[in-house]
Amino acid sequence: MEKLIISSCICGAEVTKENNPAVPYTVEEIVREAKSAYDAGAALIHLHVRWDDGTPTQDKGRFQECIDAIRKECPDVIIQPSTGGAVGMTDLERLQSTEVTPTPEMATLDCGTCNFGGDEIFVNTDTTIENFARIMLERGIKPELEVFDKGMIDLALRVADRKGLLVHPLHWDFVLGVQMSASIRDLVFMAGSIPQDSTWTATGIGKEAWNIAAATIAMGGHVRVGFEDNVYLEKGVLAKSNGEMVDKAVSIAKLLGRPIASPNEAREILSLPIR
């Protein structure tokens, strides 16, 4: 079976230190968490950034500062800035994360609008999706297609096939537990709905995170773990770091016979240039 790419989503935009004191805000904390994940076996860091008070931001300068600092500690890791930002941000604000130097190898591309609970709506219109895809194509950035339900897969494929804005092989991230249930049934359905030459990662939000991780590893997909999606190592036990979560994913992979991909092996799997 193909080697396993472990992505670490180290802080996200919504979770706070009230949820887990180890959630990073400052540049130093973000680097600490990125390095803990990298040292444990993560090949890819999925990156949101914060101001020191925890406020999420897409500020280009803050991304540049964090990326430069992570590179000093983890020189070969794949850094994947988020273009999701936080609920309420404009498209241009969200795209600032792709303007850093050097140009990111990958960035996220959210493929539809979804409900985040209560009155929070994360808006991604068809025009937004096409514009983000066009800009990433122009900049030579491979998108990770963030899909929260099956309809978003269909929308992304329309963009790819009709508009020519997405280049195969595509890479997907199934985010389960927000709009679609974090169940193995739905994971199998999502994995069976993408082109055969695709690669895919999956993550479960909250209490189903480790069930989805184990199922994904067994199915041959790649896995995302970290504070953005889940702050617990097991029921009632807060994770002390993102590295602890990566360690647990590595242990599950070992039990299931999946060796762990290095950053350059991950680049090969994802059809990225080797560094």
Side-chain angles (χ1 to χ4, degrees):
M1 195 177 288
E2 188 172 61
K3 287 190 174 183
L4 174 70
I5 301 170
I6 301 178
S7 301
S8 181
C9 51
I10 59 175
C11 66
E14 305 292 334
V15 70
T16 70
K17 289 183 182 292
E18 292 182 357
N19 304 117
N20 185 322
V23 171
Y25 293 171
T26 68
V27 175
E28 292 76 17
E29 289 171 343
I30 285 172
V31 172
R32 178 199 72 208
E33 289 304 307
K35 189 173 191 308
S36 77
Y38 171 78
D39 287 346
L44 188 153
I45 302 298
H46 171 72
L47 185 64
H48 290 254
V49 299
R50 313 281 191 101
W51 296 120
D52 286 356
D53 66 358
T55 303
T57 180
Q58 289 296 103
D59 180 78
K60 174 184 174 181
R62 186 67 162 187
F63 264 99
Q64 189 74 65
E65 186 179 10
C66 289
I67 288 171
D68 288 346
I70 291 170
R71 282 265 174 254
K72 288 181 181 179
E73 297 296 327
C74 316
D76 63 337
V77 77
I78 301 168
I79 300 176
Q80 180 196 80
S82 170
T83 66
V87 171
M89 291 182 178
T90 67
D91 289 357
L92 291 178
E93 187 177 8
R94 288 166 55 186
L95 281 164
Q96 287 183 84
S97 63
T98 68
E99 297 171 1
V100 297
T101 54
T103 301
E105 299 170 81
M106 299 185 77
T108 58
L109 198 168
D110 294 281
C111 294
T113 295
C114 64
N115 296 323
F116 269 173
D119 293 328
E120 286 196 340
I121 301 173
F122 183 39
V123 177
N124 292 281
T125 66
D126 287 11
T127 300
T128 292
I129 296 164
E130 290 178 10
N131 285 341
F132 277 38
R134 182 178 294 105
I135 288 168
M136 290 185 196
L137 183 62
E138 290 170 351
R139 294 176 179 172
I141 299 170
K142 182 173 181 119
E144 178 178 82
L145 303 172
E146 307 292 306
V147 291
F148 295 76
D149 62 35
K150 168 62 164 57
M152 294 187 190
I153 293 176
D154 297 338
L155 178 55
L157 291 175
R158 287 199 295 271
V159 172
D161 296 338
R162 296 183 185 177
K163 302 287 185 176
L165 297 176
L166 298 173
V167 178
H168 291 262
L170 305 173
H171 179 66
W172 307 81
D173 180 35
F174 307 146
V175 184
L176 300 176
V178 177
Q179 190 147 293
M180 197 169 187
S181 69
S183 67
I184 295 173
R185 177 201 65 184
D186 287 351
L187 174 64
V188 171
F189 181 51
M190 296 285 272
S193 300
I194 59 176
Q196 288 189 351
D197 65 346
S198 298
T199 52
W200 60 277
T201 294
T203 188
I205 303 300
K207 66 180 182 179
E208 298 299 332
W210 295 111
N211 290 337
I212 293 299
T216 297
I217 293 167
M219 289 170 59
H222 305 288
V223 69
R224 185 175 103 170
V225 296
F227 287 151
E228 178 175 355
D229 300 335
N230 166 46
V231 296
Y232 289 94
L233 196 64
E234 57 186 75
K235 185 176 181 179
V237 179
L238 290 172
K240 295 177 182 177
S241 69
N242 281 278
E244 268 201 326
M245 291 190 167
V246 174
D247 272 333
K248 182 167 181 175
V250 169
S251 296
I252 296 170
K254 185 176 181 180
L255 289 171
L256 295 172
R258 291 284 302 275
I260 307 303
S262 69
N264 270 338
E265 288 170 333
R267 288 182 175 94
E268 185 174 1
I269 292 166
L270 295 169
S271 301
L272 298 172
I274 304 299
R275 291 189 171 183

